[in-house]
Amino acid sequence: MRDELHPNPLLQTWDTPYGLPPFDRVAAEHFLPAFEVAMPAHLAELDAIAAQTEPPSFANTVAAFDGTGRLLKQVELLFSNLCSSETSPALQAIERDMAPRQAAHDSAIYMHAGLFARIDALYRDRAGLGLDAEQLRLLERVHLDFVRAGAKLDAAAKTRYAAVMSELAELCTQFSQHVLADEAAFALELQSEADLAGLPEFVRAAARNAASQRGLPEGSHVITLSPSIAEPFLTFSARRDLRETIWRERVARGAHASERDNRPVAARIVALRQQQAAIHGYANYADYELADRMAGTPAAVLGLLEQAWQPALDKAAEDRLVLEAKARTLGLPTPIAAWDWRYLAELVRQEQYQLDDAELKPYFTLENMLAAMFDCAGRLFGLEFVEQHGIPLYHPDARLWEVRRQGQLIGVFIGDNFARPSKRSGAWMSIFRSQSGLAGGTLPIVINNNNFAKADTTLLSFDDVRTLFHEFGHGLHGLLSQVRYERLAGTQVLRDFVELPSQIFENWAEEEQVLQKHARHYQSGEAIPAALLAKLRAARQFDQAWATIQYVGPALIDMALHALPNGTPVDIAAFEAEQCARLGVPSDIGQRHYLSHFGHLFAGPWYAAGYYVYMWAEVLDADGYEAFVEAGDPFDAATAERLFTHIYSAGNKQDPAAAYRAFRGRDPEVAPMLKKRGLIAA
Ligand SMILES: [Zn+2]
C-alpha cells in the first residue's frame, strides 16, 4: 500500500519540463531501490538481444544494444551529478555501497558471452553488411569496448586477466594512499615572522588554515606538501633554506625507505601492465593504450613531445640568464637551484608586467562573461540561450537556459557557478541526458559546474574566465551533438581528442572584440583599457619554457616506461635517473612529477602512457584556432561552419584524425602551439 501511495519518482515517467529529473520529488532514499530495479532490467534487455532466434543484424544487435539501459543511465547520471554538485552524507553512503556493484554490473555487460558472440559475428562480416559510415563506426566502437574489456579472451585467459586487473586495482589504490600518507606525515611549521618572509597574505591564510586543521594553536603557520600551499610557498618565500626543504620533501614523496616506498609498487604495476598488454596481444603497454587514441602510436606522441622539448630547453637557457642576473642583484648564489627558479621568476614577472589581479577583476563580472560566451556561441554556431525561471532544480544557485538554433529547441543548459561545501572542487561539464537520434531523437541536457565565490557582484580573475569558457566548450560539444547513436554522442570521443572543443573555445575569451564588448567595469561600465589587455596577453607567455620542461619531461618518461617490451623488469629509481640524464632535464628546473608519486600514471589506468594528452590537445586547439586567424576573422562563417560540422556536432561518428583533417584541410601542425607558448618566434 505504502509503495502505491509513495511511488519512487525515479522509476516513474519523468513528466517534467524537458524531461528533466524530478528534482523536487527525489530524495536520497530513492536511489538504492531504483538501482536495484534498473540494473537487472538492463541485464534483461541484454539477455533478450542475445536470446533472439533471428540471426544477428546491425539493427537487432548493435543499434539495439545502443538503446539499452536508458532507465539505468538516467538514474546513474542524476546520481553522479548530485554526488558532485550537491552531495550529502546519505548520498555518500550510497556511493560507497554502489561503487563495487556498478563495477560488477559493467563487467556483466562486457563479459556477456551471448551478446558478444552476436556483435563479434557482425564485426567479422562488417564489410559485407551494407552499413553507412556512422553505423560502421558504432559497430567497430562497440566491438572495441568489449574486446578491451576482455570479452574475446578464452576462459583461462579471462581468469588470468581478472587476476591481473584486480591486483592492479589494489596496487593503484595502495600507490595513492602511500602518497597521501607521506604528504600527511610532513608539516613544516613556520616559527617566526622571519620564516614567513616574502609570503603574501593568501599563502599565510592557507598556512594558518593548514595549522588549524592539524590542531595547532591559533596563529600557527604550517606549510604542507599539497600543491595549493607548497607551490605558492616555492614562488614567494624569501627563505632559500626553507624552499629547499619543501622542494626536496616534495620530490621524495613515495620514495622514502619505509613501508610506504612506492618504487617497488610502481615496478610491480609496470610488470602487471606488461602482462595486460601481452594478454591482449600487444608488444608493450603503450601500444595497447595508444591503439584507442587519436595519436595511435607511441612514435606519434614522441614526435610531438620532442618537437617541444628542444625549443623549451633553448628558451630556458635564455630565461636562466635573466634569473641568474636577478639572483646576483639579491646576493643569492649562482648557478641557481630548482628551489630558486619559481621564486626568482616571480620577482622578474612582477617587475616586467606589474599585473595585479585586483586591477583586472572589476572588468570581469560573471554575468558579463556568461553573456560573452553565449554571444560567441551565437556568432559561431547560431545559438540562442534563453533563461527559464521557476523550473525546480537541485539547488537555488543552478540556472537553466533553453538552447535554440534557428529558432528550434536543441537542448537544455544548466549553469551552476558557485562554490559551496556540498559541491566538489574544480570545474567540470557533465550531462543529465545524452543527445541521441534514436526513437525520434533525444535532446541533450548539459550542465557546467564552476566554483566561483558568490558575491553581490561576482568578479572573476582571467584564469576563472578561461575556465568558464573551457567548460562551456565541453558544454557545446554535448549540446551541438547530432549523431544517431548514443555511444557516439557529444563528448564520448577519444581521450586525446576530448579537450579540443573545450580548449579551442578558450581562445574567444581573449579576443579583442569580445573583450571590448563584454569586459566592462562593473561600476563605471567602461571597456577594459587596451594597455591592461596588452599586459594580460604578454604575461601569458612568461616562463613558459620552464612550464614546458616541467611537463614534457615526465610525459617523455611516462612513454619510455610504458613502451618497454613486455617482460622487461624495471628498477624505478635507476630508470628515472637514466632517463633524466638522457633527456638532459635541467637540474634547476626539474620535473612536475617524479615516478614515486606520479599519480597520473600509477593511481589508476587513466593517464598511463597518456600524460601527453594535455599537450596533444593544446596542439589541436592552437592549430585549429589558427584557421580563424588565417581567415582574418575570429567569427569567420565558413571556418565556424566546418568547426561545427566536423568537430562540435560530430561526436565520435568519425575517426578523430579524419574529422580534424576535414575541419582544417590538413593534419595538425605543432608550430602554433610552440608560438603560443613563446618557444618559437611568432
Ligand atoms: Zn576539459
Side-chain angles (χ1 to χ4, degrees):
M1 275 311 282
R2 201 173 167 271
D3 280 348
E4 275 168 48
L5 285 171
H6 301 283
N8 187 332
L10 290 172
L11 298 172
Q12 308 297 110
T13 306
W14 292 2
D15 189 12
T16 48
Y18 318 106
L20 284 164
F23 291 113
D24 52 348
R25 283 179 284 136
V26 172
E29 76 238 28
H30 295 129
F31 280 101
L32 265 185
F35 278 121
E36 279 163 3
V37 170
M39 281 179 165
H42 186 202
L43 293 180
E45 288 177 274
L46 304 183
D47 290 342
I49 295 176
Q52 294 172 101
T53 48
E54 272 170 57
S57 68
F58 178 84
N60 76 17
T61 299
V62 182
F65 174 66
D66 191 65
T68 61
R70 292 296 162 90
L71 173 65
L72 178 59
K73 186 70 96 40
Q74 72 180 18
V75 173
E76 269 175 352
L77 286 171
L78 172 60
F79 180 68
S80 72
N81 278 311
L82 290 179
C83 288
S84 298
S85 301
E86 182 59 7
T87 193
S88 64
L91 286 175
Q92 284 166 341
I94 301 167
E95 224 177 351
R96 284 191 296 274
D97 192 10
M98 283 309 299
R101 294 163 75 174
Q102 281 173 311
H105 182 75
D106 283 350
S107 148
I109 298 169
Y110 292 107
M111 292 297 170
H112 197 299
L115 176 59
F116 181 67
R118 293 177 72 91
I119 293 169
D120 197 38
L122 290 166
Y123 178 78
R124 278 185 271 112
D125 290 347
R126 64 192 180 285
L129 296 175
L131 302 180
D132 67 27
E134 191 177 340
Q135 292 171 327
L136 184 61
R137 180 89 182 154
L138 179 69
L139 171 53
E140 289 173 347
R141 181 69 258 176
V142 168
H143 188 260
L144 192 62
D145 288 343
F146 276 82
V147 169
R148 289 180 74 83
K152 231 184 154 136
L153 305 175
D154 63 32
K158 267 184 188 152
T159 311
R160 263 191 306 137
Y161 193 66
V164 166
M165 297 314 284
S166 113
E167 191 182 347
L168 267 175
E170 202 178 303
L171 288 173
C172 289
T173 307
Q174 210 180 79
F175 185 95
S176 44
Q177 285 175 354
H178 287 171
V179 177
L180 278 178
D182 271 6
E183 287 179 355
F186 175 87
L188 173 69
E189 194 177 346
L190 304 178
Q191 305 289 353
S192 62
E193 191 52 36
D195 287 355
L196 291 156
L199 299 182
E201 179 47 34
F202 85 92
V203 186
R204 292 173 184 231
R208 282 195 296 273
N209 190 30
S212 92
Q213 280 175 0
R214 283 164 191 255
L216 292 167
E218 205 170 320
S220 310
H221 293 84
V222 154
I223 302 302
T224 68
L225 298 179
S226 139
S228 62
I229 297 188
E231 287 178 8
F233 184 81
L234 288 167
T235 305
F236 292 105
S237 170
R239 283 288 298 273
R240 187 167 197 260
D241 56 336
L242 302 183
R243 291 199 310 266
E244 179 176 355
T245 302
I246 293 296
W247 170 269
R248 289 190 185 282
E249 287 290 341
R250 270 180 66 74
V251 169
R253 282 171 300 153
H256 296 288
S258 72
E259 75 281 6
R260 297 198 299 259
D261 190 344
N262 262 341
R263 291 166 294 185
V265 179
R268 178 73 187 147
I269 290 174
V270 171
L272 288 164
R273 285 179 177 158
Q274 292 174 357
Q275 292 180 32
Q276 185 188 352
I279 294 172
H280 280 297
Y282 291 86
N284 62 68
Y285 186 76
D287 280 352
Y288 165 70
E289 271 300 328
L290 271 294
D292 195 24
R293 305 263 181 79
M294 180 182 176
T297 62
V301 172
L302 294 176
L304 159 64
L305 296 174
E306 279 159 7
Q307 282 185 73
W309 185 245
Q310 193 56 48
L313 289 177
D314 295 344
K315 180 67 170 60
E318 289 171 31
D319 294 348
R320 179 175 295 114
L321 297 178
V322 177
L323 300 191
E324 283 176 347
K326 185 76 205 167
R328 280 190 291 271
T329 67
L330 298 170
L332 292 174
T334 54
I336 61 174
W339 44 92
D340 297 324
W341 191 292
R342 277 189 179 88
Y343 173 71
L344 294 167
E346 177 59 21
L347 294 177
V348 171
R349 191 186 72 89
Q350 284 174 11
E351 281 168 17
Q352 283 184 1
Y353 300 106
Q354 296 163 334
L355 194 63
D356 182 355
D357 242 17
E359 197 185 347
L360 275 172
K361 277 186 157 188
Y363 293 96
F364 296 108
T365 68
L366 173 62
E367 275 314 298
N368 285 351
M369 291 303 107
L370 289 171
M373 73 189 199
F374 291 154
D375 188 20
C376 289
R379 296 181 67 183
L380 289 165
F381 307 125
L383 296 185
E384 200 191 343
F385 289 77
V386 186
E387 186 162 9
Q388 306 294 312
H389 300 277
I391 295 169
L393 296 171
Y394 57 88
H395 191 277
D397 285 345
R399 295 162 68 179
L400 181 145
W401 288 265
E402 273 190 5
V403 187
R404 298 181 194 155
R405 189 163 196 256
Q406 286 134 10
Q408 262 209 322
L409 184 68
I410 63 151
V412 172
F413 178 68
I414 298 173
D416 182 354
N417 289 311
F418 298 123
R420 54 178 172 267
S422 55
K423 191 198 264 194
R424 76 172 164 87
S425 62
W428 66 96
M429 168 269 189
S430 180
I431 56 170
F432 284 98
R433 189 173 65 207
S434 170
Q435 183 269 333
S436 155
L438 284 181
T442 309
L443 295 185
I445 303 173
V446 166
I447 176 168
N448 275 14
N449 276 278
N450 287 290
N451 266 289
F452 305 135
K454 193 174 178 177
D456 291 340
T457 304
T458 296
L459 301 178
L460 305 181
S461 71
F462 197 68
D463 273 347
D464 293 338
V465 174
R466 281 178 37 215
T467 302
L468 186 73
F469 273 64
H470 178 102
E471 296 310 330
F472 189 59
H474 285 306
L476 290 173
H477 200 191
L479 288 165
L480 292 171
S481 178
Q482 289 184 0
V483 304
R484 259 174 293 164
Y485 306 108
E486 195 169 302
R487 177 63 186 86
L488 305 178
T491 55
Q492 295 208 64
V493 293
L494 303 192
R495 207 179 297 162
D496 50 3
F497 190 71
V498 72
E499 296 297 329
L500 168 60
S502 52
Q503 286 189 189
I504 198 172
F505 204 76
E506 290 179 41
N507 287 282
W508 280 280
E510 291 181 40
E511 267 306 327
E512 188 95 34
Q513 48 174 295
V514 175
L515 294 176
Q516 286 295 339
K517 182 170 172 192
H518 296 284
R520 292 187 168 270
H521 196 283
Y522 77 107
Q523 285 162 328
S524 70
E526 257 175 85
I528 186 166
L532 198 54
L533 213 54
K535 271 206 278 186
L536 181 70
R537 289 237 175 77
R540 283 211 58 197
Q541 286 193 345
F542 182 74
D543 215 20
Q544 283 296 302
W546 172 86
T548 305
I549 289 169
Q550 278 238 318
Y551 164 78
V552 173
L556 284 164
I557 292 175
D558 164 34
M559 201 48 75
L561 181 65
H562 286 111
L564 290 172
N566 295 338
T568 314
V570 61
D571 174 331
I572 290 292
F575 181 83
E576 187 167 42
E578 196 183 286
Q579 291 293 319
C580 286
R582 178 182 70 84
L583 294 167
V585 174
S587 65
D588 55 5
I589 293 180
Q591 306 203 90
R592 192 168 176 77
H593 307 281
Y594 289 85
L595 292 175
S596 62
H597 50 255
F598 201 167
H600 288 83
L601 307 199
F602 300 118
W606 308 284
Y607 290 92
Y611 191 57
Y612 76 91
V613 299
Y614 301 99
M615 183 161 272
W616 190 267
E618 208 181 311
V619 168
L620 299 181
D621 118 57
D623 185 64
Y625 195 71
E626 278 285 304
F628 289 92
V629 176
E630 286 162 13
D633 177 0
F635 296 100
D636 178 67
T639 312
E641 179 63 35
R642 289 200 309 276
L643 185 62
F644 170 78
T645 304
H646 302 293
I647 308 291
Y648 279 96
S649 72
N652 195 1
K653 71 180 176 189
Q654 203 180 354
D655 165 68
Y660 189 86
R661 221 172 286 132
F663 154 58
R664 191 66 172 95
R666 56 161 176 73
D667 285 332
E669 287 173 3
V670 177
M673 180 275 287
L674 297 175
K675 271 187 234 166
K676 207 170 163 189
R677 285 187 170 231
L679 299 177
I680 60 173

